[in-house]
Amino acid sequence: EVQLVETGGGLVKPGGSLRLSCAASGFSFSDAWMSWVRQAPGKGLEWVGRIKSKTDGGTTDYAAPVKGRFSISRDDSKNTLYLQMNSLKTEDTAIYYCAARGSFDYWGRGTLVTVSS
Amino acid sequence: QSVLTQPPSASGTPGQRVTISCSGSSANIGSNTVNWYQQLPGTAPKLLIYSNNLRPSGVPDRFSGSKSGTSASLAISGLQSDDEADYYCAAWDNSLNGPVFGGGTKLTVL
């Protein structure tokens, strides 16, 4: 059974940092392109960024609102995806989901990040 | 304002067929495939349709997708109360170099 479990969310002040993790199981993590997608309270889905598999270069792409502030990495030995979030803004408040594979085939349950003073 | 345009709401009675539209441009739907996601209340999104009209294993054939030009549609036949959810379309956008989502359509089963 595929499982994606996000952790690391919480309350942080504007300008602060947070690192989210996503532990994966039940599929070949090292072969999967992995993404982060967020959903602000009561709003729709917004792609944050992705990391390709190492086989496909392991490169990253980011949405414009987070480029230069957020960084995605992966540890295939631990089947874990990371999202390092710096210079956080109030508009980054959202549930952050990790999603596996190109069509976002699998999703985790999400972790809530609240940016507030 | 979402790059892909969906109606904010849709409704139908049990057993009825409903369709949800998704409108884009040549940069996204016009040149790439469309996926649809179902988000039941209080849960994470789930892949419902991929590559315009393909269903992942376990998705009932009551759900179908289609695409024409720069628009796509999700059809749900034999509507059930369990289908009450938010539905999102998505496609890669060549100009933004990333996937874009519709604003979501809240489906109500009357």
Side-chain angles (χ1 to χ4, degrees), chain B residues 27-107:
Chain B
N28 40 68
I29 293 179
S31 49
N32 298 293
T33 60
V34 177
N35 301 326
W36 289 90
Y37 304 89
Q38 178 193 58
Q39 187 174 31
L40 296 169
T43 70
K46 166 192 164 185
L47 179 64
L48 197 63
I49 297 287
Y50 67 100
S51 296
N52 302 329
N53 57 12
L54 301 179
R55 287 184 307 275
S57 173
V59 174
D61 59 7
R62 301 187 298 106
F63 296 90
S64 62
S66 64
K67 184 185 109 168
S68 178
T70 58
S71 293
S73 290
L74 172 71
I76 308 172
S77 60
L79 201 59
Q80 299 177 1
S81 57
D82 289 350
D83 297 333
E84 274 209 347
D86 293 324
Y87 293 85
Y88 294 90
C89 59
W92 186 267
D93 191 286
N94 296 335
S95 297
L96 298 174
N97 196 33
V100 290
F101 288 92
T105 298
K106 184 176 186 63
L107 175 64

Side-chain angles (χ1 to χ4, degrees), chain A residues 39 47 50 97 103-104 107-108, chain B residues 37 39 44-45 88 92 99 101:
Chain A
Q39 186 170 34
W47 178 72
R50 73 170 180 195
Y97 298 101
S103 295
F104 305 152
W107 296 67
Chain B
Y37 304 89
Q39 187 174 31
Y88 294 90
W92 186 267
F101 288 92

